[in-house]
Amino acid sequence: MMRRLALLILIVLVAGTWNPAAPATAGSSPVRERPVDATFGTALQGSAPTGHGPAATAYDAGTDTIYVANGFGPNKIPNPGGNTVSVIDGRRCDARSVAGCRGPWPTVTVGNEPSAIAVDPDHHTMYVGNNTDRTVSVVDLRHCRGSDTSLCRTRATVPVAAGTVGMHLDAVQHTVYVAGYDSDTVSLIDTTTCNGMTPNRCPTTQVPGFATSDGPGDVDVNQQTHTAYVATLLGFDAFDTRTCNADTQEGCVDLGHFTICDGCYGPFGARVDESTNTIYEGDGDQRVVAVDGRSCNAASLAGCATAPYGTVDLHGPRYAHVLGLVVDAARHSVYVLSHKDDHVVVIDTTTCNGSHRDGCALLVPDAVHTGTNPQGIALDAGTHTLYVANLNADDLSVIDAARCSAPDRSGCRRLPDRVRLDTPTAVAVSESAHTAYVVTGDRITMVDLRTCNSARVLGCAGPHTSLTVGAEPIAVAVDEPRHTAYVASSAGTVSVLDTRRCAATTGGCTVTGALVLPPGRPGDIVTNTTTGTVYVAVSEAGGTDVVVAFDASTCDATTTTGCRQSGGVLPIGPASDCGNPQATSRLVLALDRPTDTVFAAQNPCDESVVVDSLRVFDGRHCHGGDLSGCHAAVATVRAGPDPFGLAVDEATRTLYSALLGDGERNGAVSVIDVRACNGTVTSGCNQVARLAPSGFGSAGVAVDIDHHDVYVTNEEDASVSVIDGTTCRSGHTTRCARTPTYLPTDDYPGVWIALAPSVSTAYVTSPSMGTLSVLPMRR
């Protein structure tokens, strides 16, 4: 997965019932009988179409117009490219009514990859930073607004020092501050001489500027203190706008420096709340600081180095990034755009500001769901409408900020009931034992299905029985007929548990046996209950990735005489090499029992390398007591970019593969016909898999064999999408393009999902959040 920004950018740019920062101790959650009515919330009103790859967003209050720059997507694969700005009429598209949002909306042509926008209402001008061209387009807005788009065109093009990633228009100083990330400069454009009404006075050579700290991005100004703040990769630089502007640069050498961290991923965005004199800045990952502006301003630039601040931790994984912020002072709220998590987080400024910093660490922020891969954010303060540009969805989310704000949380996202656990990863269900087995730390934790399900949550708070297994357990699978759970760990073993004794409500649970794995790190484990086989995928750094087949009949809950067996080996291929001698591939398995076929996905540890094929193994003589035919794959089948989770619906003869698409492409699920692509018949393995849409960052997949619904975890969308497998399956794919049903989960659901049809519940782990979401199955 290419989780890193190819170009560090800033665009002009979790509702919970518990504190994720609190220790994950059993029994600490409120005990309730009835489940939460989980929803994405009502604050998200609708959307408006944009051009391809929308990124930067700006709002002109004077003309009630939204401007959206299209074509800047450094992480988008393929790169969207483009050179337009959409002009959307806010009179017909805001939080009060989205009926007029449909468009299509006219555009104005600007430079290549427009990446930032600033509007000057006094001179009826829009300034658009063009990242590729190192220019700023100057657009006359007198006839390029929501009410009149009769003459939308660029009137002048101004050279600047570098590709633009953020800009701010200071109407008091008549200056556009243009942040050039890759030249460590801020360029200065004089709006009195260079605007849409006098384009002939715009300079044709590079405008003046001044040096900043590393990687300048966003710019904002506190007019009350005459102080500008420029987000940099270390924190922010501050300067006096009265002595550093387009007219005079004498004060541009006098900078204050605030540092969040040295060598961190960001920051990218900074915004000032003048009502509390607070500078809010994201660190580029998942923290937001609230800095006391009384200690860091034009009158006290030296004080920036030691300015006190509070910190809000959003608890996201390493690939989630705070890109932009906006302040709604009237609603006492700061809205934080969480790139790679499809939501906007709300910070209560009455609790967390420069003067009240201790409350920042105690915040459990609410959130609003957005579209796919949000990258730009703007606010209409008059109607409290948030406009969020969604890079992958080619649209603009229209959000009622008033209904998800500090004083009113009614429209915020409502998360499902969750079990609090220690870094839960893998999960498997035994319905006969009424237990969900969850890998947590170095243990297996057992959750009672009867008291913790989508209809009853009394038992979700715990306490939950747990058992220490091999060091760093990774995967778990259940063989129901043999009453056995198998837990693969990095210790090189597969622990064997008797589910009749190791269950949520039983005592005396012990590991009854252990299979020994070849050197390497296990990735996945599946059981073929028909042939009595356990298959374990193992990746050895610098070696070969393999699938090991073990005879379960001699190593299960009842019999352990065969636990010392070596097993048969199905070679996948060389382990991926990404420059780290300890790194291993990501391996995922699925079985098709009718044809005795093993499917394997091998994803390299190098996240920039995209694979698209699955291995197809013949298991007819590589199972149970017959390991004579454990050979190399008989075929490969193309699934699509980065196949992660795999699951087979044996009744419809369909293999479903969740496509992560290196975490940058739209989520999808490939639909593969296994009738002619299996261990026995390979004539159909050259098929082109049909794709069904899913959520951003599709990772895990499970099939409800009773109703043929396909459940897909969407790591970067905080959701599970449900695809109707009766209308999207082998031989019947014409309806695969239908939009699936979406269920909200906790943030960053992983690759693991387990279904318990007996209680109509799906269990989904969110490792970085320390939870197991409890979701209602669709039927």
Side-chain angles (χ1 to χ4, degrees), residues 417-659:
D417 283 286
R418 290 146 291 158
V419 182
R420 300 171 67 178
L421 299 168
D422 177 19
T423 319
T425 51
V427 58
V429 162
S430 170
E431 298 207 73
S432 64
H434 310 293
T435 300
Y437 295 89
V438 190
V439 173
T440 55
D442 64 349
R443 308 175 71 81
I444 283 288
T445 297
M446 289 156 260
V447 177
D448 194 335
L449 304 183
R450 293 167 295 187
T451 60
C452 183
N453 56 62
S454 62
R456 191 178 186 210
V457 296
L458 183 65
C460 292
H464 305 290
T465 302
S466 64
L467 173 70
T468 300
V469 290
E472 195 184 350
I474 293 174
V476 58
V478 170
D479 184 333
E480 287 279 41
R482 293 175 174 79
H483 307 290
T484 305
Y486 296 94
V487 185
S489 74
S490 288
T493 62
V494 177
S495 299
V496 181
L497 310 181
D498 186 340
T499 60
R500 292 166 297 188
R501 295 178 175 83
C502 288
T505 57
T506 60
C509 178
T510 60
V511 175
T512 59
L515 293 161
V516 179
L517 297 172
R521 177 184 174 87
D524 198 5
I525 182 170
V526 293
T527 61
N528 188 328
T529 58
T530 301
T531 62
T533 311
V534 177
Y535 294 97
V536 186
V538 179
S539 179
E540 181 184 9
T544 300
D545 294 339
V546 299
V547 179
V548 186
F550 293 104
D551 183 358
S553 66
T554 61
C555 186
D556 60 16
T558 304
T559 304
T560 59
T561 56
C563 289
R564 303 293 296 179
Q565 64 185 285
S566 298
V569 176
L570 298 165
I572 298 177
S576 61
D577 181 6
C578 57
N580 181 352
Q582 304 301 317
T584 55
S585 309
R586 296 170 179 261
L587 304 176
V588 183
L589 302 176
L591 297 176
D592 179 39
R593 291 182 301 174
T595 59
D596 210 348
T597 300
V598 181
F599 296 96
Q602 179 191 37
N603 286 273
C605 59
D606 185 345
E607 297 175 346
S608 67
V609 177
V610 178
V611 299
D612 66 358
S613 296
L614 307 174
R615 305 299 202 284
V616 183
F617 293 97
D618 184 357
R620 289 175 298 168
H621 296 287
C622 187
H623 68 250
D626 182 5
L627 303 177
S628 61
C630 295
H631 302 302
V634 297
T636 60
V637 57
R638 294 185 64 183
D642 283 333
F644 254 57
L646 304 175
V648 174
D649 188 334
E650 296 174 352
T652 66
R653 316 299 304 119
T654 309
L655 169 65
Y656 297 96
S657 175
L659 304 178

Side-chain angles (χ1 to χ4, degrees), residues 223-418:
Q223 294 293 359
Q224 295 183 9
T225 63
H226 313 289
T227 310
Y229 300 93
V230 182
T232 70
L233 291 184
L234 301 178
F236 60 73
D237 289 350
F239 60 89
D240 190 334
T241 59
R242 295 167 297 185
T243 58
C244 182
N245 53 61
D247 183 59
T248 177
Q249 289 89 56
E250 65 180 36
C252 293
V253 295
D254 298 322
L255 302 178
H257 305 285
F258 172 83
T259 301
I260 295 180
C261 57
D262 187 0
C264 60
Y265 187 71
F268 302 120
R271 281 291 181 268
V272 175
D273 182 359
E274 293 188 357
S275 66
T276 62
N277 197 3
T278 303
I279 307 102
Y280 293 92
E281 181 171 40
D283 71 345
D285 292 312
Q286 283 287 289
R287 290 188 305 160
V288 175
V289 296
V291 184
D292 191 345
R294 296 173 301 176
S295 300
C296 177
N297 55 61
S300 179
L301 293 174
C304 294
T306 57
Y309 64 92
T311 302
V312 181
D313 195 335
L314 307 184
H315 299 276
R318 61 184 176 84
Y319 50 82
H321 308 295
V322 173
L323 276 192
L325 309 91
V326 294
V327 176
D328 189 341
R331 304 296 293 181
H332 309 293
S333 300
V334 172
Y335 294 92
V336 182
L337 188 150
S338 182
H339 188 57
K340 306 297 178 195
D341 196 23
D342 289 2
H343 70 227
V344 171
V345 176
V346 188
I347 294 176
D348 185 341
T349 63
T350 63
T351 301
C352 173
N353 60 58
S355 301
H356 299 87
R357 299 178 297 274
D358 292 343
C360 298
L362 303 177
L363 277 180
V364 182
D366 284 301
V368 182
H369 199 255
T370 66
T372 303
N373 205 359
Q375 193 159 298
I377 185 169
L379 173 72
D380 172 2
T383 62
H384 303 290
T385 303
L386 284 174
Y387 295 101
V388 177
N390 302 304
L391 184 66
N392 284 32
D394 291 345
D395 67 11
L396 188 74
S397 292
V398 182
I399 297 170
D400 186 353
R403 285 198 279 153
C404 189
S405 60
D408 183 357
R409 311 296 179 90
S410 61
C412 298
R413 182 184 59 164
R414 300 182 66 182
L415 294 178
D417 283 286
R418 290 146 291 158

